[in-house]
Amino acid sequence: MDYSFLKDHFITTDRPYEEGCVEAFCQTIPANGVTRAVLQITALGVFAAQINGKKAGDALLTPGFTYYPDDLQVQELDVTDLLKGSQEPAVLTVFLGQGWYCGRFTFDNKTQIYGERPAVSWVLTVEDADGTKQHFSDDADVRPGKSPYDYAGLYDGEIFHADGSSQKPYPPVPFKGPIPGCLERETIFVRPREEMPVQQVFLHGDTTILDFGQNFAGIPEIDPKKMRGVSLTLRFGERLNADGSLYTANLRKAKQEIVYYKGKTQEKYRPAFTYMGFRYAALSGVPYEEGLVRAFAVYSDMERTGTFTCENPLAERLYENQVWGQKSNYVEVPTDCPQRDERMGYTGDCHVFARTASYNFDTEAFLVKFLKDIRFSQTHNKEGYVPSTVPAAPGEQGIGMLNMLGWGNAVCILPKLLYEQYGNREILRTMYPAMKTFTECEIRHMGGKGLWLGPNLGDWLAPGKDVRYMAMHNGPVSNAFVIGDLRIMAWTADLLGEKEDAARYRAQDDLSTKAYLAAFVKEDGTMQDDYQGAYVMALALVLPEGDLWNKVFAKLVQRLKEEGIQTGFFATQHLLPLLADHKEEALAFDLLFQENCPGWMYEIRRGATTIWERWDALRPDGTVNETKMSSDNMVSFNHYAFGSVGEFYYGTILGIRPAAPGFAQALVAPHIDARLGSFSGSYKSRHGRIEVSFDLKEKRLTVSSEVPGTLRLPDGTTKALTKAPASYRIAL
């Protein structure tokens, strides 16, 4: 549907800018005889609409985060039930917050990033029994309302007065700022999901600590009927200090706080313009009563498609941790973390985890939307580059001191993944110009040498390798991504019939691969930059299989046996599948179950319920690793990058992989390790469900598949999977 008509109805106020301010607009709607009512609404900012005090729809943070200079989403709501049957005029109230558009955002804590003030546009169409329609929009009868918000912001939370705040109302005025050219209906919504019950309650001085038992992204709900007092404050955090108080140092400049003032209404309160990342809440101002505070997880619309369970409690907890990492960070855009003053759409974080994510949930629509954000953001980069965070800040930007190779490469990696996992060929066609523009930028920066050498973050957060070291030794990781892009481009060009492009990128790939080998790989298989990530990325993305590949692989295996895991942000994704696919299954499982630091089980042994940003976010001595980046610490206990281990669960343990685009054909090749105990899992693909289970006691493997393809048993023998649903029970 064409929503361009909304461009003519944007309103705002002349209020001098104040960070965290929320506007309120009211409009009276005749409700007698209504048979159908539809609200079409969007905002440069974040809105919440009510009719007679009842929220319209259940989505949060609408209309979502897009590249505002070019793109804006529209929410279309059927509000018939909120108007039908009433004999009295109704009141439409629209609250307008600043959100990502002009509120405080990014790790630089900037305001007015996309515009000076928020604006909202709506058309409410009301139809009566005889088919007569009335349209209500930015009419003269729109008036300022009394806002209950003293403050609302993504990072700091909300200050809410149930009877209305003392904020001075400002009348609506036409919005004169720029309006994006693309207005499309929003289809992926952030909503409240699972209720997260309070697991434990204990006192710390005058504060009551609520433990929800799980780190997650969510919102609280406050029931004023349970309040014994005038106001309360809730502060949120991921951990407790040693003395039992709430740990908030890693929030940096984000408060993550709700201040609620009770009023005459008995309606329960949920924040509308913020969310938090937390496991714990500190309640002050009133005593805690059961039911006073509830919490709900929030994340974007995604159908659950993957499952896994096993008898090993640590392995099962790790699986659940990476799922919660996805839920917590798939909030409108693929964020880095849900708690501190960041929560930005990082391209590197996204593609590292994207394969795992696409097994856990159906992420096709979510990632297609993010690729649109990438495409629009790229058009304003003077070098055609894709920035590390998307949607990007407006303005003509180039490539900074750090080229951030490994991040913007999502523009090439994600479309190919969507084709492989979901059979989405159209996204390759849509994204091809953006992929080509980005790759051509990489080629220009090679300067004819076949490599792009310069400071970068390399295998970010590899143990023992600080920023200074990696900036000087990033080449084998950064250029693995460049060569990966060249191969994706040649493959995509062939698929789309762009033969000249395919030949060009193959020639450049040949040149760059030879340059890579000369610069980074010694004849005996040792990497010039001798750290695990360099080996992994060379093996996974660059080296052709053969004698040299085998030598490099042998060196990696030797180092892993001596050192344990020492990989960082990018190499970890490939590590375990790489080993298992090349007859080192036992080592892969050894690393999976490794309980010393660094290791996934180390985190779980120390109480992790999500994936940590750093392997040593909590040091062995129990102290938080507050290593600083610039002037602030950088430690999150809910980052999903190292959760890419989820791919190993689906693609290696269960062995479920696409053998043709979108799982039109499947390869099922399970890997058995007795330490897992009995296990089972499944994946719902575009062409049907695949289930795999192993009974350790009976030594029996069972595979049920609605997808044709090949079943490869642990001993190497194969069986055909027929198209009709079939079950295979094999004694091992």
Side-chain angles (χ1 to χ4, degrees), residues 35 59 84 141 216 291 312 506 517 716:
T35 58
K84 195 173 183 180
D141 65 333
F216 64 104
N312 185 305
R506 283 200 183 87
L517 295 175

Side-chain angles (χ1 to χ4, degrees), residues 330-348:
Y330 271 36
V331 179
E332 189 56 35
V333 295
T335 61
D336 56 323
C337 57
Q339 76 295 104
R340 69 184 181 219
D341 54 352
E342 210 155 346
R343 313 184 198 182
M344 300 159 69
Y346 276 92
T347 47

Side-chain angles (χ1 to χ4, degrees), residues 424-569:
N424 188 335
R425 184 187 180 104
E426 185 58 32
I427 195 63
L428 290 167
R429 176 68 69 185
T430 299
M431 291 300 299
Y432 187 74
M435 296 162 65
K436 183 174 179 179
T437 297
F438 181 84
T439 306
E440 290 295 334
C441 178
E442 291 178 309
I443 293 172
R444 288 196 303 273
H445 280 273
M446 294 180 198
K449 300 176 182 178
L451 299 173
W452 185 355
L453 301 176
N456 195 4
L457 297 178
D459 198 20
W460 176 234
L461 298 182
K465 300 293 185 288
D466 61 14
V467 175
R468 182 184 296 274
Y469 174 90
M470 201 56 75
M472 301 299 294
H473 300 274
N474 73 82
V477 174
S478 301
N479 283 277
F481 281 107
V482 174
I483 291 171
D485 287 344
L486 293 169
R487 293 176 184 175
I488 290 173
M489 287 304 302
W491 171 85
T492 306
D494 272 336
L495 189 70
L496 300 180
E498 303 288 346
K499 299 303 181 185
E500 290 185 9
D501 284 353
R504 167 172 167 72
Y505 294 124
R506 283 200 183 87
Q508 184 64 53
D509 174 20
D510 184 62
L511 173 65
S512 294
T513 299
K514 290 176 180 176
Y516 187 100
L517 295 175
F520 304 129
V521 189
K522 297 179 182 179
E523 290 184 6
D524 69 349
T526 304
M527 297 296 293
Q528 292 282 5
D529 297 292
D530 195 13
Y531 57 93
Q532 288 185 17
Y535 288 88
V536 172
M537 298 303 287
L539 291 164
L541 297 183
V542 181
L543 300 180
E545 294 208 13
D547 183 59
L548 183 59
W549 193 100
N550 292 334
K551 290 179 180 178
V552 174
F553 184 68
K555 293 286 185 181
L556 172 64
V557 169
Q558 178 184 348
R559 296 201 60 158
L560 288 166
K561 289 179 177 179
E562 294 172 354
E563 303 169 346
I565 298 172
Q566 295 290 314
T567 51
F569 205 74

Side-chain angles (χ1 to χ4, degrees), residues 602-624:
Y602 166 81
E603 298 181 15
I604 294 168
R605 285 293 191 190
R606 280 147 186 83
T609 61
T610 43
I611 303 295
W612 297 349
E613 180 177 22
R614 295 176 176 272
W615 289 112
D616 60 349
L618 190 67
R619 297 188 180 98
D621 65 4
T623 60
V624 176

Side-chain angles (χ1 to χ4, degrees), residues 214-255:
Q214 170 67 53
N215 199 349
F216 64 104
I219 56 170
E221 179 185 84
I222 296 169
D223 185 351
K225 295 177 183 177
K226 303 286 187 178
M227 277 183 67
R228 287 188 285 140
V230 176
S231 68
L232 64 78
T233 298
L234 284 168
R235 297 182 299 119
F236 299 87
E238 297 183 286
R239 295 189 56 79
L240 299 179
N241 293 308
D243 66 357
S245 61
L246 189 70
Y247 173 78
T248 58
N250 69 330
L251 302 182
R252 302 191 304 212
K253 294 181 178 65
K255 287 183 180 179

Side-chain angles (χ1 to χ4, degrees), residues 362-377:
D362 185 339
T363 57
E364 182 178 13
F366 182 87
L367 292 177
V368 166
K369 183 267 180 187
F370 188 60
L371 283 168
K372 183 173 73 165
D373 296 332
I374 287 177
R375 195 168 66 248
F376 279 127
S377 296

